[in-house]
Amino acid sequence: MSSPDFPKRLGEKIKAIRERRGLSPDEFASFVNAKDGDEILSYENDEGDMPISVLWAYVRVAGVPIENIWDDERDLWLGFRVN
């Protein structure tokens, strides 16, 4: 049994969450317990390992099920399958 692929759209979706709040990376960092804006940008650009606590903070800020963020086939806000 193999594990599922890492989501390819994660960076795009977490950036959309931040932008929907109208915040810069530095302003948004405290909302998700990130160190600073550079850390936020690394997550958005798929360059850093995101702790699960930060991912859960994004879930709380967005107010959507984690599946909408994690599953590449789901829309971030509505959750419908894209296929």
Side-chain angles (χ1 to χ4, degrees):
M1 175 184 254
S2 64
S3 60
D5 292 333
F6 193 82
K8 293 174 179 51
R9 296 182 56 211
L10 182 62
E12 160 197 336
K13 289 180 177 184
I14 62 173
K15 182 177 182 178
I17 292 167
R18 176 182 60 77
E19 289 178 340
R20 189 169 188 154
R21 297 289 300 243
L23 299 172
S24 71
D26 283 321
E27 293 168 329
F28 192 72
S30 64
F31 284 89
V32 294
N33 302 317
K35 180 175 45 176
D36 55 28
D38 288 337
E39 188 172 338
I40 294 296
L41 290 174
S42 73
Y43 301 149
E44 291 178 359
N45 294 317
D46 296 319
E47 296 169 349
D49 292 332
M50 182 188 304
I52 192 72
S53 60
V54 172
L55 178 60
W56 278 113
Y58 272 97
V59 169
R60 285 192 310 277
V61 167
V64 298
I66 193 169
E67 293 87 356
N68 291 15
I69 296 173
W70 192 259
D71 187 340
D72 285 336
E73 295 183 6
R74 293 177 70 95
D75 177 73
L76 180 58
W77 305 111
L78 302 175
F80 300 117
R81 296 229 174 245
V82 176
N83 35 336

